[in-house]
Amino acid sequence: MDAFYASAEQAAKPSLRGKPVVVGGLGPRGVVATASYEARRFGVHSAMPMAQARRLAPNAAYLVPRFALYRSVSDQVMELLGRLSPLVEPLSLDEAFVDLEAGSMADDAASALEIGRQLREAIEAVTGLSGSVGLAGSKMLAKIASEEAKPDGIRLIEPGTERDMLAPMPVRTLPGVGPATADHLRRAGMTTVDDLAEAGEAELVRLLGKAHGGSLHRMAFGYDDRPVVAERDAKSVSVEDTFDTDLHDRVRVRTEVERLADRCVQRLRAAGRSGRTVVLKVRRYDFSTLTRSETLRGPTDDPAVVREAAARLLESVDTTGGVRLLGVGVTGLADFTQEDLFAQAAGERAAAALPGGPDERPEKAADSREGRPEPEPGPEAAEQPAARRWPAGHDVRHDVHGHGWVQGSGVGRVTVRFEEPGSEPGRVRTFRIDDPALRPADPLPLVREPPDYSSWPASLPKSRSGAGAPGAESSP
């Protein structure tokens, strides 16, 4: 997909179409997740510190990511890809490999190009967004072709042309060549893919080791035999937050851990899963990162159980000096829960910690928030910055004005632009942050009534053998 997060925001917000948009963390430590092509003209790019992006493009719209929207669009795209082949390997929300041979959908360059053309049309019709397609005989070359096709294009690398096409490209083009490896190769006089091919395998093995050197030599000639691997079940679910300023108040730290635990369970339930190991991640003021985990007696999706486990794990972590990042995750995923067993296990652990032992345990005190007093909020918790309550770019609904999105907030006020996907650019209004008529809302679909592609790709060219029809309808 092309500049996926930013393009989705432009499609959702008519007033931002054709304008520079930057999506990422907006705090002092934030980084750019995606920049629209309009913002890229100013030099803004992914992974850039947000402060630097603001200096380069001060008039761009800076928005906090809306992953619920991005996931819903990604699901639509992946469903279309699954109709082309049973082998679809997602790399991220906006990128995937598809093995067309496994779907018997193409047997020559012309039919492959037609598949790519119709796929792009289908993606735009269903999501309202553009994507770029790369077609080649291997994963490495298809990836390169898709980058060459951006934005909103299609590129085919014909068999037999790989070597000539790769030769002038920089070594960073190849998978596994990061900044350090590229610098090492540069010092050895190799800056292009052709340099790697000419150096020979023995020299690359001497410089980089047998596995890495041999792999790069093969890739320099266009060889890549890695298979497309169908999507596997997620092994964990986690959430984390980086804070604008280090947290020093222990009560605030615990409050944030419990909030993250609730968000983690929401994701767990959305995926229809449960888990038995709770993991806590703490990055301290000095960038040292600690992880703690607790394996329970069975899988659960009970938010009270995950909160209590995460809070217990926090007790074993020294937060003196401040905390810059917190994360809560659940691993050991399953498709079922054992609620009674979990509640009993949590109760037993809490009871064992009491001075009088299990018989003096307050009823249900360890099973939920009910039965235990809430801690007094510290000064950091009491402030609750408006930026956290009303993130820039997120959806809201007003009882009178309808659906809109947050343009900014602060000093007790929140500014909202009222518009929807497909509408004309909307009006801007400002409210108190505690206005009872204003509340957070879920994202609206980018395409109100997407066309029905349930029978697609019946019209696509099939293999001459005719063997591809059943496989073309398989899911990944």
Side-chain angles (χ1 to χ4, degrees):
M1 302 297 287
D2 298 324
F4 182 45
Y5 297 173
S7 294
E9 297 297 346
Q10 289 174 318
K13 301 173 171 65
S15 59
L16 297 184
R17 290 171 189 168
K19 297 180 180 178
V21 174
V22 181
V23 180
L26 302 188
R29 294 167 175 165
V31 297
V32 175
T34 307
S36 69
Y37 287 98
E38 295 86 355
R40 295 181 191 188
R41 297 191 188 106
F42 294 93
V44 180
H45 58 78
S46 300
M48 171 182 285
M50 192 62 76
Q52 183 180 356
R54 288 185 184 275
R55 289 193 295 270
L56 292 173
N59 295 322
Y62 289 87
L63 308 175
V64 175
R66 295 188 297 160
F67 288 107
L69 172 65
Y70 311 148
R71 288 191 188 93
S72 68
V73 176
S74 177
D75 289 345
Q76 291 176 305
V77 174
M78 296 301 171
E79 200 276 336
L80 290 173
L81 299 183
R83 293 178 176 275
L84 295 177
S85 171
L87 290 183
V88 177
E89 182 180 343
L91 300 181
S92 59
L93 289 176
D94 65 334
E95 190 173 16
F97 289 116
V98 184
D99 188 332
L100 292 179
E101 185 178 53
S104 300
M105 294 301 298
D107 55 9
D108 57 25
S111 59
L113 279 170
E114 178 63 12
I115 288 172
R117 185 186 67 79
Q118 292 198 29
L119 173 62
R120 290 175 57 236
E121 289 180 355
I123 289 174
E124 185 168 7
V126 171
T127 70
L129 304 178
S130 68
S132 298
V133 173
L135 296 153
S138 69
K139 290 167 71 171
M140 177 190 75
L141 293 170
K143 166 74 170 172
I144 292 172
S146 70
E147 294 296 329
E148 292 281 300
K150 285 187 175 294
D152 193 20
I154 184 169
R155 171 78 189 274
L156 169 74
I157 299 177
E158 292 266 16
T161 66
E162 298 93 345
R163 174 76 173 86
D164 291 339
M165 186 271 299
L166 286 172
M169 293 185 170
V171 293
R172 288 288 304 275
T173 303
L174 300 182
V177 181
T181 300
D183 187 58
H184 191 53
L185 292 170
R186 180 188 58 78
R187 291 197 299 269
M190 304 176 203
T191 59
T192 67
V193 176
D194 188 54
D195 293 335
L196 301 181
E198 293 296 324
E201 183 175 5
E203 177 64 9
L204 292 178
V205 168
R206 185 187 70 81
L207 288 171
L208 304 174
K210 184 174 182 180
H212 199 186
S215 174
L216 280 188
H217 187 256
R218 289 190 297 275
M219 287 183 177
F221 284 90
Y223 301 141
D224 177 20
D225 58 0
R226 295 174 299 162
V228 174
V229 180
E231 182 177 13
R232 297 188 176 94
D233 286 341
K235 297 181 179 179
S236 65
V237 173
S238 63
V239 295
E240 63 182 43
D241 269 352
T242 300
F243 303 99
D244 294 345
T245 58
D246 292 347
L247 303 185
H248 295 274
D249 185 273
R250 186 75 177 185
V251 174
R252 170 74 189 281
V253 172
R254 175 168 175 141
T255 299
E256 293 293 341
V257 166
E258 293 182 344
R259 182 180 62 83
L260 289 166
D262 287 342
R263 283 174 51 197
C264 182
V265 170
Q266 289 174 5
R267 289 193 183 181
L268 197 65
R269 289 180 168 180
R273 310 300 296 277
S274 60
R276 60 175 300 174
T277 300
V278 179
V279 181
L280 175 70
K281 176 180 177 181
V282 180
R283 180 166 296 150
R284 299 188 292 188
Y285 70 99
D286 59 357
F287 288 89
S288 61
T289 302
L290 304 176
T291 57
R292 299 287 186 269
S293 63
E294 177 179 324
T295 299
L296 304 168
R297 294 171 59 188
T300 191
D301 63 356
D302 185 338
V305 173
V306 177
R307 279 197 305 266
E308 293 291 343
R312 283 193 299 274
L313 293 170
L314 178 63
E315 295 302 317
S316 66
V317 177
D318 179 12
T319 60
T320 304
V323 172
R324 61 184 292 120
L325 176 147
L326 290 168
V328 175
V330 175
T331 65
L333 302 188
D335 295 322
F336 62 94
T337 61
Q338 294 179 350
E339 301 298 352
D340 293 341
L341 181 64
F342 257 120
Q344 179 183 357
E348 288 173 355
R349 280 189 292 272
L354 290 174
D359 293 337
E360 296 187 17
R361 179 174 73 91
E363 190 64 27
K364 293 186 179 179
D367 297 342
S368 70
R369 288 176 181 252
E370 182 181 355
R372 66 174 172 85
E374 290 290 340
E376 289 294 324
E380 291 173 296
E383 290 178 4
Q384 284 292 314
R388 280 196 176 276
R389 292 187 59 189
W390 304 106
H394 278 223
D395 298 83
V396 296
R397 179 163 288 279
H398 191 273
D399 290 345
V400 176
H401 305 292
H403 192 92
W405 58 278
V406 176
Q407 279 202 327
S409 59
V411 199
R413 296 287 186 269
V414 54
T415 300
V416 178
R417 184 182 289 273
F418 290 96
E419 59 186 5
E420 301 180 7
S423 73
E424 294 297 316
R427 296 186 62 181
V428 176
R429 298 179 184 273
T430 299
F431 307 90
R432 299 193 321 272
I433 60 172
D434 58 353
D435 189 322
L438 188 69
R439 57 191 179 276
D442 293 328
L444 296 177
L446 299 184
V447 177
R448 186 57 58 90
E449 294 182 7
D452 182 9
Y453 270 82
S454 59
S455 61
W456 190 80
S459 61
L460 289 178
K462 300 293 194 295
S463 169
R464 281 189 286 269
S465 66
E473 297 296 330
S474 300
S475 297

